[in-house]
Amino acid sequence: MKKLNIAIDGPAGAGKSTIAKALAKKLNMIYVDTGAMYRAIGLHCSRKQIAGDDAQAVEAECDNIHVSIVYENGEQVVCLNGENVNEQIRTAQAGSMASAVSVHKKVRAKMVELQKKLAADTSVVMDGRDIGTVVLPNAEVKIYLTASSAVRAKRRYDELTAKGQDCDLETLKKEIEERDYRDMNREISPLKKAEDAIELDTSELSIEEVVETMMKIVAEKAEK
């Protein structure tokens, strides 16, 4: 297959990471979870007791943050200043902090530059909030994944409880809706569907059904 960039955007809990990872595996492509990169920055700020909405403090700290992605045994490992933080960035708090710090100009510039480099010379499946609109505007395939806030909250609830974390379904739904608002209304690179993206609602679909649909979309685009 020729070099191919696949951009997957959508709100929190739409299944982007799970779907993108499965799609990349089927296509034998590299998967880049951009949300994890922002979560790493949020984790660093939390450790430094820096509020996510403190733009001056967050941007001042950027020079002390190095986020990289490496692959070990085919799996993506997110490193924060050399430390594997895959587990630490998967909490609800890390997700909220990621949304908070991602609005800041210097943070986004730092991450977008790295993400563009990752996709410049190799085929990637990349998911996030602004991949098809900002990071990879020329991606051959653009898909916008979405689902109702109730469905997304239930998925997050199941994920967290499976890990033994105590959480409340209604609280998660409220947090997701608040995060949607922040992501869609931020000044820099807001979450929105690219004009040439194909929208796919995953509310009533299984992971396998979504991946199968996306494989067909990729096959059609690859032929052109």
Side-chain angles (χ1 to χ4, degrees):
M1 182 186 292
K2 64 179 181 180
K3 179 177 173 293
L4 191 68
N5 284 337
I6 301 174
I8 301 175
D9 289 307
K16 296 186 303 297
S17 296
T18 300
I19 300 303
K21 191 181 297 183
L23 184 65
K25 188 172 183 178
K26 275 187 171 292
L27 294 170
N28 194 29
M29 292 167 61
I30 290 175
Y31 163 59
V32 182
D33 178 359
T34 63
M37 298 163 75
Y38 286 104
R39 283 170 175 261
I41 292 181
L43 175 64
H44 178 90
C45 290
S46 291
R47 289 175 171 179
K48 293 288 184 176
Q49 297 184 321
I50 297 172
D53 59 359
D54 187 341
Q56 185 175 357
V58 171
E59 294 199 352
E61 190 63 24
C62 270
D63 291 337
N64 299 320
I65 304 173
H66 179 68
V67 178
S68 61
I69 290 180
V70 297
Y71 290 86
E72 297 179 359
N73 300 319
E75 291 295 318
Q76 175 183 269
V77 175
V78 179
C79 295
L80 171 62
N81 294 336
E83 174 193 355
N84 179 340
V85 292
N86 274 16
E87 290 299 319
Q88 293 94 317
I89 62 175
R90 292 305 172 188
T91 64
Q93 181 188 11
S96 295
M97 275 296 286
S99 181
V101 301
S102 67
V103 304
H104 305 309
K105 186 175 182 180
K106 191 171 180 179
V107 172
R108 296 208 72 83
K110 185 183 183 84
M111 291 297 95
V112 169
E113 181 183 6
L114 176 57
Q115 291 155 14
K116 284 180 177 289
K117 285 180 180 178
L118 288 169
D121 301 315
T122 188
S123 294
V124 299
V125 177
M126 189 177 292
D127 76 327
R129 302 289 192 282
D130 60 352
I131 310 306
T133 55
V134 176
V135 182
L136 302 178
N138 297 317
E140 290 81 2
V141 181
K142 297 181 185 179
I143 297 171
Y144 188 88
L145 286 184
T146 189
S148 69
S149 58
V151 167
R152 289 185 282 136
K154 182 61 166 62
R155 289 173 179 170
R156 186 65 178 152
Y157 176 84
D158 291 342
E159 179 185 349
L160 293 174
T161 53
K163 295 179 180 178
Q165 297 183 33
D166 188 27
C167 55
D168 176 72
L169 184 58
E170 282 304 311
T171 299
L172 288 174
K173 183 173 180 289
K174 182 180 178 182
E175 289 176 348
I176 280 176
E177 290 170 347
E178 289 174 347
R179 186 171 180 185
D180 286 350
Y181 182 84
R182 284 200 305 270
D183 290 345
M184 292 176 180
N185 291 278
R186 66 190 180 212
E187 183 178 353
I188 304 169
S189 301
L191 166 65
K192 62 181 180 179
K193 176 187 170 185
E195 290 184 3
D196 52 347
I198 297 171
E199 183 168 338
L200 184 57
D201 191 319
T202 69
S203 298
E204 304 298 328
L205 300 175
S206 67
I207 293 172
E208 292 76 15
E209 288 171 330
V210 177
V211 172
E212 182 179 343
T213 300
M214 292 176 71
M215 286 289 289
K216 291 178 182 177
I217 293 171
V218 171
E220 291 172 2
K221 293 287 185 178
E223 289 176 358
K224 295 180 179 179

